[in-house]
Amino acid sequence: MTEERIGSSGVSASTQGNQANAKRICNEFLLANDYNQQWDELSETTLTSPEFYERLAYYLAKVYKISGNKNNGEFLKVNVIKSYLNIMIKLAQNKLSSSTNAETKLFFTCLLTSSNSFHANWLRGVRHNIDRICLERMKEAGDDYDESAPPMSRENLKLMIQAYWKANTNETGMRVMSLLTLFFVGGRSSEPTWMDIKNMSWSMDDLAVDLNVYATRLYRSNYWS
């Protein structure tokens, strides 16, 4: 009987490359912070410690700089920082998959996007703070990061609806409904996913919620409301 098998972790060259790179940087972090161990040697207690990943996140966001390629001397991009942090937690989950410790199982609920457990909310907070740190760095560097659309006021909405009603067609009727929906629910259907009390405010001028979202792309980041 063959011993080969297919597991659940990524097998593509890019996935394996990202995992190797994240692990390499994590080992540099361990060396710089006097852990006196490589990642493979870390205990279950350490691999399920929020404090450990908070320190790793700080290292990725504020200490580590790229070396050996065209981006030499630059900090990691925000999406890369969050990806590497996620990778290291997932590698720990795979390593401890046979653990029967209830606290260990509870810790890895942080990876469940639909969970409201303490650990899931903790990781969301860490990722949110990574966004903020990188945004502040972009501000200090003078990068063009603000891609906000001009706000649409209630008066703008009123005038647009009046113009559509003058045309008085089925199409303009549908557009009026779309405008009203867009104005009162805050954008595309995917955007409520990112709503957070911390980045919402009430606009007295528009009598609507103003939502600030820090959006990331593969090679750049932007901030809009």
Side-chain angles (χ1 to χ4, degrees), residues 1 8 20 33 51 57 83 107-108 111 113 115 118 125 130 136 164 168 177-178 185 191 206:
M1 183 172 66
S8 61
N33 287 274
E51 181 184 349
S83 174
F107 172 78
F108 290 116
L111 295 171
T113 56
S115 174
F118 169 83
I130 289 170
E136 289 301 318
Y164 278 132
N168 196 27
M177 295 304 298
S178 297
V185 304
E191 278 150 16
D206 302 323

Side-chain angles (χ1 to χ4, degrees), residues 46-186:
T46 300
L47 290 175
T48 55
S49 165
E51 181 184 349
F52 171 74
Y53 293 103
E54 288 172 2
R55 296 183 70 186
L56 176 59
Y58 182 90
Y59 182 83
L60 291 169
K62 303 201 73 171
V63 178
Y64 179 80
K65 290 187 178 181
I66 300 167
S67 60
N69 63 33
K70 65 179 182 179
N71 298 316
N72 190 64
E74 294 184 8
F75 288 104
L76 295 171
K77 301 294 185 185
V78 60
N79 58 306
V80 177
I81 296 169
K82 292 191 291 187
S83 174
Y84 283 177
L85 184 65
N86 226 46
I87 285 171
M88 296 315 300
I89 297 175
K90 285 183 177 179
L91 287 175
Q93 183 183 41
N94 290 339
K95 181 178 179 180
L96 302 173
S97 59
S98 60
S99 173
T100 58
N101 188 313
E103 290 298 320
T104 293
K105 294 180 183 298
L106 188 60
F107 172 78
F108 290 116
T109 61
C110 69
L111 295 171
L112 301 176
T113 56
S114 60
S115 174
N116 281 315
S117 71
F118 169 83
H119 292 95
N121 288 323
W122 158 76
L123 186 55
R124 289 188 195 107
V126 172
R127 292 167 64 88
H128 177 79
N129 287 333
I130 289 170
D131 287 340
R132 292 297 177 187
I133 287 169
C134 292
L135 177 62
E136 289 301 318
R137 185 156 60 225
M138 291 170 69
K139 286 181 182 178
E140 291 170 4
D143 291 345
D144 181 17
Y145 62 87
D146 193 339
E147 295 188 359
S148 300
M152 183 174 74
S153 69
R154 294 175 72 88
E155 185 62 24
N156 296 146
L157 180 68
K158 175 184 173 182
L159 293 172
M160 293 170 74
I161 290 174
Q162 286 176 347
Y164 278 132
W165 279 134
K166 286 179 181 179
N168 196 27
T169 66
N170 288 337
E171 180 184 353
T172 57
M174 291 298 295
R175 292 196 176 202
V176 166
M177 295 304 298
S178 297
L179 271 175
L180 287 169
T181 302
L182 178 68
F183 187 82
F184 286 109
V185 304

